[in-house]
Amino acid sequence: MRVLSYNVHRWGDDREALARVVRACAPAVMLVQEAPTWFGTRRKRRAMAAGFGMKYVAAAARNAILVADGIEVAEPSHWRIRRPFVRRRLRLIATQLPGGAVGGRTTLGTTQLALVVCHLGLHIRGRQYELEQVLKGCRSFGTPYLLVGDLNEEPDGPVWKRLAEEGLTDLGADAGPTFSSTNPHKRIDGAHLTP
């Protein structure tokens, strides 16, 4: 099963280029970070999925699950991630959008597998707190799981260390940089799988 994790930046950049990339990847499942929000959210997400040749299944906050024809993701579950509304940085105070995660079960051969996508916040201590909430949701499926997302932290950070402590394998250890999209120079995105 080919799974694509992608931060689509609210579907606000070059939509045709984004569709070409997704279609070239030909995923069975696409786990989206920064899916479109605000006015007409579901309509925009369905339109985005159709542009990729996929179907919209479920979402939470700014994360979404899309599937190709013939793929089923059952029992979608979504949960809000508690994060401070305000974060402080360099004497500035900024509001944060609510966090969330979404997942669902699929069958891979004869194995039930949960697929979960999240987007962690920008505050270092907040990310650790958010990750614990995400992991609790992952474990609630009672099956092996794949957790993907924009972790907003490089692989030597505490979130990545916690994922390793949980026994998850980093599937992209040799993937190279993922941020920024115009000049990739650091890796802040991950895909982690249970044994």
Side-chain angles (χ1 to χ4, degrees), residues 152-177:
N152 270 318
E153 178 178 291
E154 294 184 71
D156 60 348
V159 162
W160 293 77
K161 289 176 183 162
R162 177 67 184 96
L163 290 166
E165 288 170 6
E166 189 73 10
L168 302 177
T169 300
D170 177 3
L171 299 179
D174 59 353

PDB file of all heavy atoms in Angstrom, residues 152-177:
ATOM      1  N   ASN A 152       7.324  19.598  12.974  1.00  0.00           N
ATOM      2  CA  ASN A 152       7.877  20.925  13.271  1.00  0.00           C
ATOM      3  C   ASN A 152       9.112  20.849  14.163  1.00  0.00           C
ATOM      4  O   ASN A 152       9.339  21.715  15.000  1.00  0.00           O
ATOM      5  CB  ASN A 152       6.814  21.835  13.907  1.00  0.00           C
ATOM      6  CG  ASN A 152       6.066  22.607  12.855  1.00  0.00           C
ATOM      7  OD1 ASN A 152       6.658  23.115  11.908  1.00  0.00           O
ATOM      8  ND2 ASN A 152       4.765  22.685  12.991  1.00  0.00           N
ATOM      9  N   GLU A 153       9.909  19.800  13.944  1.00  0.00           N
ATOM     10  CA  GLU A 153      11.102  19.599  14.761  1.00  0.00           C
ATOM     11  C   GLU A 153      12.039  18.675  13.994  1.00  0.00           C
ATOM     12  O   GLU A 153      11.590  17.763  13.309  1.00  0.00           O
ATOM     13  CB  GLU A 153      10.673  18.960  16.079  1.00  0.00           C
ATOM     14  CG  GLU A 153      11.786  18.650  17.028  1.00  0.00           C
ATOM     15  CD  GLU A 153      11.225  18.067  18.311  1.00  0.00           C
ATOM     16  OE1 GLU A 153      10.568  18.799  19.074  1.00  0.00           O
ATOM     17  OE2 GLU A 153      11.444  16.852  18.533  1.00  0.00           O
ATOM     18  N   GLU A 154      13.336  18.912  14.135  1.00  0.00           N
ATOM     19  CA  GLU A 154      14.318  18.074  13.458  1.00  0.00           C
ATOM     20  C   GLU A 154      14.521  16.756  14.214  1.00  0.00           C
ATOM     21  O   GLU A 154      14.213  16.662  15.405  1.00  0.00           O
ATOM     22  CB  GLU A 154      15.623  18.836  13.290  1.00  0.00           C
ATOM     23  CG  GLU A 154      15.448  20.022  12.338  1.00  0.00           C
ATOM     24  CD  GLU A 154      16.742  20.751  12.057  1.00  0.00           C
ATOM     25  OE1 GLU A 154      17.595  20.180  11.358  1.00  0.00           O
ATOM     26  OE2 GLU A 154      16.886  21.889  12.549  1.00  0.00           O
ATOM     27  N   PRO A 155      15.048  15.722  13.537  1.00  0.00           N
ATOM     28  CA  PRO A 155      15.121  14.377  14.120  1.00  0.00           C
ATOM     29  C   PRO A 155      15.920  14.227  15.419  1.00  0.00           C
ATOM     30  O   PRO A 155      15.777  13.209  16.082  1.00  0.00           O
ATOM     31  CB  PRO A 155      15.758  13.549  13.002  1.00  0.00           C
ATOM     32  CG  PRO A 155      15.339  14.242  11.751  1.00  0.00           C
ATOM     33  CD  PRO A 155      15.362  15.706  12.109  1.00  0.00           C
ATOM     34  N   ASP A 156      16.714  15.206  15.804  1.00  0.00           N
ATOM     35  CA  ASP A 156      17.438  15.088  17.077  1.00  0.00           C
ATOM     36  C   ASP A 156      16.642  15.682  18.242  1.00  0.00           C
ATOM     37  O   ASP A 156      17.117  15.721  19.369  1.00  0.00           O
ATOM     38  CB  ASP A 156      18.815  15.746  16.984  1.00  0.00           C
ATOM     39  CG  ASP A 156      18.739  17.235  16.647  1.00  0.00           C
ATOM     40  OD1 ASP A 156      17.650  17.707  16.263  1.00  0.00           O
ATOM     41  OD2 ASP A 156      19.767  17.921  16.775  1.00  0.00           O
ATOM     42  N   GLY A 157      15.409  16.096  17.990  1.00  0.00           N
ATOM     43  CA  GLY A 157      14.584  16.740  19.015  1.00  0.00           C
ATOM     44  C   GLY A 157      13.858  15.751  19.912  1.00  0.00           C
ATOM     45  O   GLY A 157      13.800  14.543  19.649  1.00  0.00           O
ATOM     46  N   PRO A 158      13.255  16.259  20.994  1.00  0.00           N
ATOM     47  CA  PRO A 158      12.589  15.401  21.976  1.00  0.00           C
ATOM     48  C   PRO A 158      11.378  14.642  21.442  1.00  0.00           C
ATOM     49  O   PRO A 158      11.093  13.536  21.901  1.00  0.00           O
ATOM     50  CB  PRO A 158      12.189  16.365  23.092  1.00  0.00           C
ATOM     51  CG  PRO A 158      12.281  17.732  22.523  1.00  0.00           C
ATOM     52  CD  PRO A 158      13.261  17.671  21.401  1.00  0.00           C
ATOM     53  N   VAL A 159      10.662  15.189  20.478  1.00  0.00           N
ATOM     54  CA  VAL A 159       9.503  14.484  19.920  1.00  0.00           C
ATOM     55  C   VAL A 159       9.967  13.218  19.201  1.00  0.00           C
ATOM     56  O   VAL A 159       9.396  12.138  19.371  1.00  0.00           O
ATOM     57  CB  VAL A 159       8.702  15.409  18.974  1.00  0.00           C
ATOM     58  CG1 VAL A 159       7.784  14.621  18.071  1.00  0.00           C
ATOM     59  CG2 VAL A 159       7.905  16.419  19.786  1.00  0.00           C
ATOM     60  N   TRP A 160      11.022  13.328  18.413  1.00  0.00           N
ATOM     61  CA  TRP A 160      11.550  12.171  17.684  1.00  0.00           C
ATOM     62  C   TRP A 160      12.088  11.130  18.671  1.00  0.00           C
ATOM     63  O   TRP A 160      11.909   9.927  18.467  1.00  0.00           O
ATOM     64  CB  TRP A 160      12.650  12.611  16.727  1.00  0.00           C
ATOM     65  CG  TRP A 160      12.154  13.483  15.607  1.00  0.00           C
ATOM     66  CD1 TRP A 160      11.827  14.803  15.693  1.00  0.00           C
ATOM     67  CD2 TRP A 160      11.913  13.095  14.267  1.00  0.00           C
ATOM     68  NE1 TRP A 160      11.408  15.260  14.468  1.00  0.00           N
ATOM     69  CE2 TRP A 160      11.465  14.240  13.578  1.00  0.00           C
ATOM     70  CE3 TRP A 160      12.062  11.903  13.565  1.00  0.00           C
ATOM     71  CZ2 TRP A 160      11.141  14.220  12.223  1.00  0.00           C
ATOM     72  CZ3 TRP A 160      11.754  11.884  12.211  1.00  0.00           C
ATOM     73  CH2 TRP A 160      11.289  13.034  11.558  1.00  0.00           C
ATOM     74  N   LYS A 161      12.731  11.590  19.729  1.00  0.00           N
ATOM     75  CA  LYS A 161      13.249  10.662  20.738  1.00  0.00           C
ATOM     76  C   LYS A 161      12.098   9.929  21.411  1.00  0.00           C
ATOM     77  O   LYS A 161      12.186   8.726  21.676  1.00  0.00           O
ATOM     78  CB  LYS A 161      14.102  11.415  21.758  1.00  0.00           C
ATOM     79  CG  LYS A 161      15.417  11.882  21.167  1.00  0.00           C
ATOM     80  CD  LYS A 161      16.228  12.710  22.140  1.00  0.00           C
ATOM     81  CE  LYS A 161      17.493  13.190  21.422  1.00  0.00           C
ATOM     82  NZ  LYS A 161      18.135  14.295  22.081  1.00  0.00           N
ATOM     83  N   ARG A 162      11.014  10.629  21.666  1.00  0.00           N
ATOM     84  CA  ARG A 162       9.844   9.999  22.295  1.00  0.00           C
ATOM     85  C   ARG A 162       9.223   8.956  21.367  1.00  0.00           C
ATOM     86  O   ARG A 162       8.782   7.887  21.807  1.00  0.00           O
ATOM     87  CB  ARG A 162       8.810  11.074  22.675  1.00  0.00           C
ATOM     88  CG  ARG A 162       7.540  10.538  23.263  1.00  0.00           C
ATOM     89  CD  ARG A 162       7.776   9.890  24.626  1.00  0.00           C
ATOM     90  NE  ARG A 162       6.567   9.301  25.139  1.00  0.00           N
ATOM     91  CZ  ARG A 162       6.231   8.012  25.012  1.00  0.00           C
ATOM     92  NH1 ARG A 162       7.056   7.169  24.418  1.00  0.00           N
ATOM     93  NH2 ARG A 162       5.089   7.558  25.490  1.00  0.00           N
ATOM     94  N   LEU A 163       9.184   9.242  20.075  1.00  0.00           N
ATOM     95  CA  LEU A 163       8.664   8.275  19.113  1.00  0.00           C
ATOM     96  C   LEU A 163       9.520   7.004  19.101  1.00  0.00           C
ATOM     97  O   LEU A 163       8.996   5.889  19.029  1.00  0.00           O
ATOM     98  CB  LEU A 163       8.599   8.895  17.711  1.00  0.00           C
ATOM     99  CG  LEU A 163       7.532   9.975  17.532  1.00  0.00           C
ATOM    100  CD1 LEU A 163       7.759  10.750  16.248  1.00  0.00           C
ATOM    101  CD2 LEU A 163       6.129   9.381  17.561  1.00  0.00           C
ATOM    102  N   ALA A 164      10.832   7.167  19.194  1.00  0.00           N
ATOM    103  CA  ALA A 164      11.733   6.006  19.264  1.00  0.00           C
ATOM    104  C   ALA A 164      11.501   5.228  20.555  1.00  0.00           C
ATOM    105  O   ALA A 164      11.469   3.991  20.552  1.00  0.00           O
ATOM    106  CB  ALA A 164      13.184   6.454  19.160  1.00  0.00           C
ATOM    107  N   GLU A 165      11.301   5.948  21.674  1.00  0.00           N
ATOM    108  CA  GLU A 165      11.013   5.281  22.952  1.00  0.00           C
ATOM    109  C   GLU A 165       9.729   4.472  22.876  1.00  0.00           C
ATOM    110  O   GLU A 165       9.599   3.439  23.525  1.00  0.00           O
ATOM    111  CB  GLU A 165      10.878   6.313  24.080  1.00  0.00           C
ATOM    112  CG  GLU A 165      12.163   6.962  24.502  1.00  0.00           C
ATOM    113  CD  GLU A 165      11.912   8.145  25.436  1.00  0.00           C
ATOM    114  OE1 GLU A 165      10.759   8.390  25.840  1.00  0.00           O
ATOM    115  OE2 GLU A 165      12.902   8.842  25.740  1.00  0.00           O
ATOM    116  N   GLU A 166       8.784   4.937  22.087  1.00  0.00           N
ATOM    117  CA  GLU A 166       7.501   4.247  21.923  1.00  0.00           C
ATOM    118  C   GLU A 166       7.678   2.974  21.091  1.00  0.00           C
ATOM    119  O   GLU A 166       6.759   2.173  20.977  1.00  0.00           O
ATOM    120  CB  GLU A 166       6.496   5.201  21.263  1.00  0.00           C
ATOM    121  CG  GLU A 166       5.083   4.729  21.209  1.00  0.00           C
ATOM    122  CD  GLU A 166       4.347   4.740  22.547  1.00  0.00           C
ATOM    123  OE1 GLU A 166       4.866   5.300  23.539  1.00  0.00           O
ATOM    124  OE2 GLU A 166       3.241   4.180  22.596  1.00  0.00           O
ATOM    125  N   GLY A 167       8.867   2.803  20.501  1.00  0.00           N
ATOM    126  CA  GLY A 167       9.136   1.605  19.705  1.00  0.00           C
ATOM    127  C   GLY A 167       8.825   1.764  18.232  1.00  0.00           C
ATOM    128  O   GLY A 167       8.777   0.786  17.489  1.00  0.00           O
ATOM    129  N   LEU A 168       8.618   3.003  17.790  1.00  0.00           N
ATOM    130  CA  LEU A 168       8.279   3.253  16.393  1.00  0.00           C
ATOM    131  C   LEU A 168       9.543   3.347  15.537  1.00  0.00           C
ATOM    132  O   LEU A 168      10.562   3.868  15.978  1.00  0.00           O
ATOM    133  CB  LEU A 168       7.471   4.534  16.266  1.00  0.00           C
ATOM    134  CG  LEU A 168       6.164   4.584  17.058  1.00  0.00           C
ATOM    135  CD1 LEU A 168       5.494   5.928  16.896  1.00  0.00           C
ATOM    136  CD2 LEU A 168       5.229   3.486  16.627  1.00  0.00           C
ATOM    137  N   THR A 169       9.444   2.857  14.310  1.00  0.00           N
ATOM    138  CA  THR A 169      10.541   2.923  13.358  1.00  0.00           C
ATOM    139  C   THR A 169      10.367   4.147  12.476  1.00  0.00           C
ATOM    140  O   THR A 169       9.288   4.359  11.910  1.00  0.00           O
ATOM    141  CB  THR A 169      10.559   1.655  12.474  1.00  0.00           C
ATOM    142  OG1 THR A 169      10.726   0.523  13.312  1.00  0.00           O
ATOM    143  CG2 THR A 169      11.680   1.716  11.448  1.00  0.00           C
ATOM    144  N   ASP A 170      11.423   4.934  12.340  1.00  0.00           N
ATOM    145  CA  ASP A 170      11.420   6.101  11.454  1.00  0.00           C
ATOM    146  C   ASP A 170      11.624   5.585  10.031  1.00  0.00           C
ATOM    147  O   ASP A 170      12.713   5.133   9.679  1.00  0.00           O
ATOM    148  CB  ASP A 170      12.545   7.055  11.870  1.00  0.00           C
ATOM    149  CG  ASP A 170      12.670   8.266  10.961  1.00  0.00           C
ATOM    150  OD1 ASP A 170      11.852   8.432  10.028  1.00  0.00           O
ATOM    151  OD2 ASP A 170      13.611   9.057  11.190  1.00  0.00           O
ATOM    152  N   LEU A 171      10.567   5.664   9.219  1.00  0.00           N
ATOM    153  CA  LEU A 171      10.635   5.132   7.859  1.00  0.00           C
ATOM    154  C   LEU A 171      11.392   6.034   6.893  1.00  0.00           C
ATOM    155  O   LEU A 171      11.701   5.615   5.781  1.00  0.00           O
ATOM    156  CB  LEU A 171       9.218   4.896   7.321  1.00  0.00           C
ATOM    157  CG  LEU A 171       8.380   3.889   8.099  1.00  0.00           C
ATOM    158  CD1 LEU A 171       6.995   3.769   7.476  1.00  0.00           C
ATOM    159  CD2 LEU A 171       9.062   2.544   8.169  1.00  0.00           C
ATOM    160  N   GLY A 172      11.674   7.249   7.304  1.00  0.00           N
ATOM    161  CA  GLY A 172      12.336   8.180   6.389  1.00  0.00           C
ATOM    162  C   GLY A 172      13.690   8.638   6.875  1.00  0.00           C
ATOM    163  O   GLY A 172      14.107   9.756   6.585  1.00  0.00           O
ATOM    164  N   ALA A 173      14.397   7.793   7.603  1.00  0.00           N
ATOM    165  CA  ALA A 173      15.676   8.198   8.191  1.00  0.00           C
ATOM    166  C   ALA A 173      16.658   8.719   7.141  1.00  0.00           C
ATOM    167  O   ALA A 173      17.484   9.575   7.429  1.00  0.00           O
ATOM    168  CB  ALA A 173      16.289   7.037   8.968  1.00  0.00           C
ATOM    169  N   ASP A 174      16.546   8.231   5.921  1.00  0.00           N
ATOM    170  CA  ASP A 174      17.447   8.689   4.858  1.00  0.00           C
ATOM    171  C   ASP A 174      16.713   9.545   3.821  1.00  0.00           C
ATOM    172  O   ASP A 174      17.167   9.701   2.695  1.00  0.00           O
ATOM    173  CB  ASP A 174      18.099   7.491   4.180  1.00  0.00           C
ATOM    174  CG  ASP A 174      17.079   6.533   3.576  1.00  0.00           C
ATOM    175  OD1 ASP A 174      15.862   6.726   3.796  1.00  0.00           O
ATOM    176  OD2 ASP A 174      17.494   5.603   2.872  1.00  0.00           O
ATOM    177  N   ALA A 175      15.576  10.118   4.219  1.00  0.00           N
ATOM    178  CA  ALA A 175      14.714  10.837   3.271  1.00  0.00           C
ATOM    179  C   ALA A 175      15.276  12.189   2.834  1.00  0.00           C
ATOM    180  O   ALA A 175      14.907  12.704   1.796  1.00  0.00           O
ATOM    181  CB  ALA A 175      13.328  11.037   3.862  1.00  0.00           C
ATOM    182  N   GLY A 176      16.111  12.795   3.645  1.00  0.00           N
ATOM    183  CA  GLY A 176      16.615  14.112   3.295  1.00  0.00           C
ATOM    184  C   GLY A 176      15.710  15.213   3.806  1.00  0.00           C
ATOM    185  O   GLY A 176      14.703  14.961   4.466  1.00  0.00           O
ATOM    186  N   PRO A 177      16.055  16.459   3.490  1.00  0.00           N
ATOM    187  CA  PRO A 177      15.314  17.604   4.019  1.00  0.00           C
ATOM    188  C   PRO A 177      13.900  17.725   3.437  1.00  0.00           C
ATOM    189  O   PRO A 177      13.667  17.375   2.289  1.00  0.00           O
ATOM    190  CB  PRO A 177      16.174  18.804   3.636  1.00  0.00           C
ATOM    191  CG  PRO A 177      17.035  18.341   2.528  1.00  0.00           C
ATOM    192  CD  PRO A 177      17.195  16.866   2.664  1.00  0.00           C
TER     193      PRO A 177
END
